[in-house]
Each structure stands twice: as structure tokens, then as C-alpha cells.
Amino acid sequence: MSAVKKTRETQAAGRTQRVLVCSGGRYESQANAQIRESIMDGWAECFGDENVIAVHISGAAASIERLQPTIVFAIGSYLPESTYFGEVCREAKKIGAITVFWATEDPYEQDANYRITDDFDVVFSCDRWGHNFYQRERVYHLPLAASRKLHYAPIEAGVEKSIDVLFCGVAFTSRKDIVRNLMPTLRNLNVKIIGPGWGEFGIGFSDARIEKAQLIELYRRSKLVLNLGRSLHFENKRFMIAPSTPGPRTFEAAAAGAFQVFHEDTYELRRYFTAEEIPTFSNKIDFDRLVARYIDDTPLCIEMARRAQERTMSEHTYGHRIRAAIEVLKREGFLEG
């Protein structure tokens, strides 16, 4: 164990573990603000609400001396020029705090990861394949997840399923291509495709943005929920890393009781869910088979959704992810075992 690790472990011994969660940049968006809140819930499961504090990146360095955290846990994006974590880490090291970054936008910003690789003791990447492209030690894969507080909703068998196929998300080019391919089938169904960029597709499509509570209600009323990955790469031109790990919506929708049909490309869904929990399709023929099998069998859809929900709550919440992160910090000698 290095002298630095020994010093920090000695300083942390006997102290209440206090976590300072800092973020900036993209956390102005609603979706990413939810991820921040969800991650804080995970830390609170481990250390208690009173020991988890969130600050914006702009005020994080100045907060460290006053708040005396044992762990400074930075999350989100390292891409914006305005998001600079170097000063935060320097202040954290002055008081012996452990510095950790969880990159929740990988691999879409991978070319810019040099901005944080020298600052943090440990880096976690939300993408299994992308985490191999950091040129430093102590980089681990840590997938995103669901929040018990924000995303769980009980499954009620008696709710009328008035929507055949639901999708909610931005109309990235890759998603548009998939939906265009499925249109001969979708035209004959009651569909609700919602998000910026979809309005041009016509009836059943909308450019609207919806709140989380509205989305959970739509899940309850939908027979099939499409799960389509994204391929919008902000800074991913050097290695053109294909995303591998399912995004947070997969776990969030499962927690909310949605029956998902997952478009499988390079995504490693089967590390997290079985075919009896979330079925997959890769082309229109596969999709048509899923529609034929499930669209009129609501009890079967509910049973599969229930299995996916149980899997999520038992294995894929932010509490599980934070406990996994803590185990890594123990193995690396930053926390006592």
C-alpha cells in the first residue's frame, strides 16, 4: 500500500463517512439531474441521508474545507470546458479525502477523458467496453441503475393497457432508422412515440417532453415499451467506441414495471436480464414475432415485467452500485475493509 493510501486510511479511520457529490455541465438537464439524485440515494442507503451532500462543481472546491468529506464523488460529464475537476481534487487531497469520478456519459465523450484521468484516485465508467480506453490505472466498470425512490412503481394487473407500443426519448438518427424500418407494423398499432424530433412522423408521434410521473403512468398503460439505444457521439471519434452497457432507462423502466422489448445491437443486455425478463429484437422480422407473441397476451407481459422488476430491485439499484464502488475502494486500500 502506498504512503498516500495509508495516510488517507488513517485519516478516515474512526470518522463518520461523509460523501460530497459534485457535478456540473450536463446536470442542468432533467434526465441527468435525476441520475444525480438517484446516485445520492444510493450513497444514502450506505451512509445515511445526513452524510451525503450535493454541490455544483462551481462551488465544490470551496465547500471541501468546510464540509470535511471523507469521499469526494464527482459524477457526470467531463466534456464541457467549464467542468474542471482539478481544483476540487487538489482541495480534497489536502484534507485526505478519497477522490472518485463516475463517468455517466461513456462512451459518447471518450476522447475527452484525459481531462480527468490524472485527478482522481479511482475512475468508474458506465460502459463496460469504454472503460478499457482510459490510459491510467484503477478504472472500473460500474453500470448505471434504477432508484428505489424515484423509479419503482407497483405493477397493477387491472390497469387497462390502451397503448400497444410506447417509446419515449430523443429522436436520434439511429432511433429514427429503426422506427422507419418498423413502420409497416407500427402503422397498424396504437403507438405513442414521444420526444424531441418525432413529430414529423405523423399520427402517434409527438415532439413533447414529459415528466417522470407522466412516463411511469404511460408505462402502466402500455403493452410493449420499445428500448432503443442511442448513437449520438459528442467526442468519440478517436476509437469510435460502440456503446456496450444498457443505459439507465433500461433499469428505470424495469423498476417502474414496464414490459420492454430491447433493440439489440452491441448492447450486453444478457449480463443483466434474461430472455424471460426482457426479450430482444434486431430486425423487423424479430419485432413482428414479438408483437405476435405478446401484444394480446397481457398476463404474460405482466409476468415478464414482474420478473424484470424483481431482478432490478434485487440487483440493479443505485444502492447496489454504490456498494460495489465501496468494495473497489476497500480493495484498493482507500477504505478500511
Side-chain angles (χ1 to χ4, degrees), residues 40-330:
M40 290 181 65
D41 288 343
W43 278 109
E45 281 188 32
C46 300
F47 294 160
D49 288 309
E50 69 280 8
N51 294 312
V52 184
I53 307 160
V55 295
H56 190 271
I57 181 65
S58 60
S63 301
I64 287 171
E65 175 64 27
R66 175 171 56 87
L67 298 174
Q68 291 288 306
T70 50
I71 301 172
V72 173
F73 195 79
I75 57 178
S77 173
Y78 42 67
L79 182 59
E81 293 288 350
S82 60
T83 303
Y84 175 60
F85 291 99
E87 184 181 4
V88 175
C89 290
R90 285 195 295 273
E91 292 301 313
K93 289 170 185 177
K94 286 180 184 178
I95 66 165
I98 304 157
T99 56
V100 182
F101 188 85
W102 191 0
T104 60
E105 294 287 337
D106 280 351
Y108 308 106
E109 304 173 351
Q110 206 80 32
D111 294 354
N113 70 32
Y114 65 88
R115 293 180 181 166
I116 52 99
T117 53
D118 294 331
D119 294 326
F120 291 89
D121 294 319
V122 177
V123 172
F124 293 102
S125 169
C126 67
D127 192 75
R128 183 178 298 275
W129 179 230
H131 97 280
N132 295 300
F133 291 82
Y134 285 78
Q135 296 178 322
R136 55 157 287 161
E137 297 180 344
R138 296 195 296 273
V139 179
Y140 295 87
H141 173 229
L142 189 68
L144 295 172
S147 165
R148 293 184 187 277
K149 290 183 180 179
L150 295 179
H151 303 123
Y152 174 80
I155 296 173
E156 300 175 15
V159 174
E160 180 185 1
K161 302 287 187 180
S162 56
I163 302 167
D164 290 328
V165 177
L166 171 73
F167 176 76
C168 182
V170 177
F172 296 125
T173 300
S174 60
R175 290 172 173 173
K176 286 184 175 181
D177 291 342
I178 295 167
V179 168
R180 285 192 185 100
N181 187 45
L182 303 180
M183 280 301 287
T185 301
L186 296 177
R187 286 194 194 100
N188 297 317
L189 300 170
N190 180 26
V191 303
K192 203 169 189 67
I193 311 291
I194 309 169
W198 289 114
E200 66 186 68
F201 278 67
I203 296 173
F205 294 79
S206 168
D207 289 320
R209 292 181 180 271
I210 62 174
E211 301 292 330
K212 177 180 66 67
Q214 294 174 291
L215 180 57
I216 290 176
E217 177 60 26
L218 289 173
Y219 287 154
R220 295 174 71 242
R221 292 168 41 208
S222 300
K223 296 177 182 177
L224 276 64
V225 174
L226 281 178
N227 188 317
L228 309 176
R230 65 170 178 166
S231 61
L232 182 65
H233 297 275
F234 299 100
E235 293 288 341
N236 185 20
K237 298 178 178 63
R238 184 181 180 191
F239 299 111
M240 295 300 292
I241 304 166
S244 59
T245 303
R249 185 62 62 82
T250 305
F251 305 106
E252 295 167 6
F259 171 56
Q260 300 179 77
V261 292
F262 191 98
H263 181 260
E264 189 172 39
D265 188 1
T266 58
Y267 299 90
E268 49 179 22
L269 180 70
R270 291 294 169 252
R271 289 182 181 269
Y272 306 95
F273 297 96
T274 70
E276 287 70 42
E277 294 161 350
I278 301 180
T280 63
F281 70 97
S282 57
N283 53 51
K284 182 179 178 298
I285 293 174
D286 291 345
F287 180 73
D288 289 350
R289 287 173 181 159
L290 292 178
V291 169
R293 181 178 180 189
Y294 295 111
I295 203 77
D296 293 321
D297 194 342
T298 299
L300 177 58
C301 293
I302 290 175
E303 176 56 31
M304 295 183 72
R306 198 180 305 280
R307 292 173 192 158
Q309 186 182 68
E310 290 173 354
R311 173 81 64 183
T312 301
M313 304 316 290
S314 63
E315 298 180 17
H316 303 308
T317 69
Y318 280 100
H320 293 106
R321 302 297 188 246
I322 294 304
R323 282 188 283 274
I326 289 171
E327 286 304 311
V328 169
L329 296 180
K330 289 179 179 178

Side-chain angles (χ1 to χ4, degrees), residues 1-8 138 332-334:
M1 184 185 297
S2 70
V4 173
K5 285 184 184 179
K6 285 181 179 178
T7 299
R8 292 184 185 177
R138 296 195 296 273
E332 290 289 352
F334 292 108

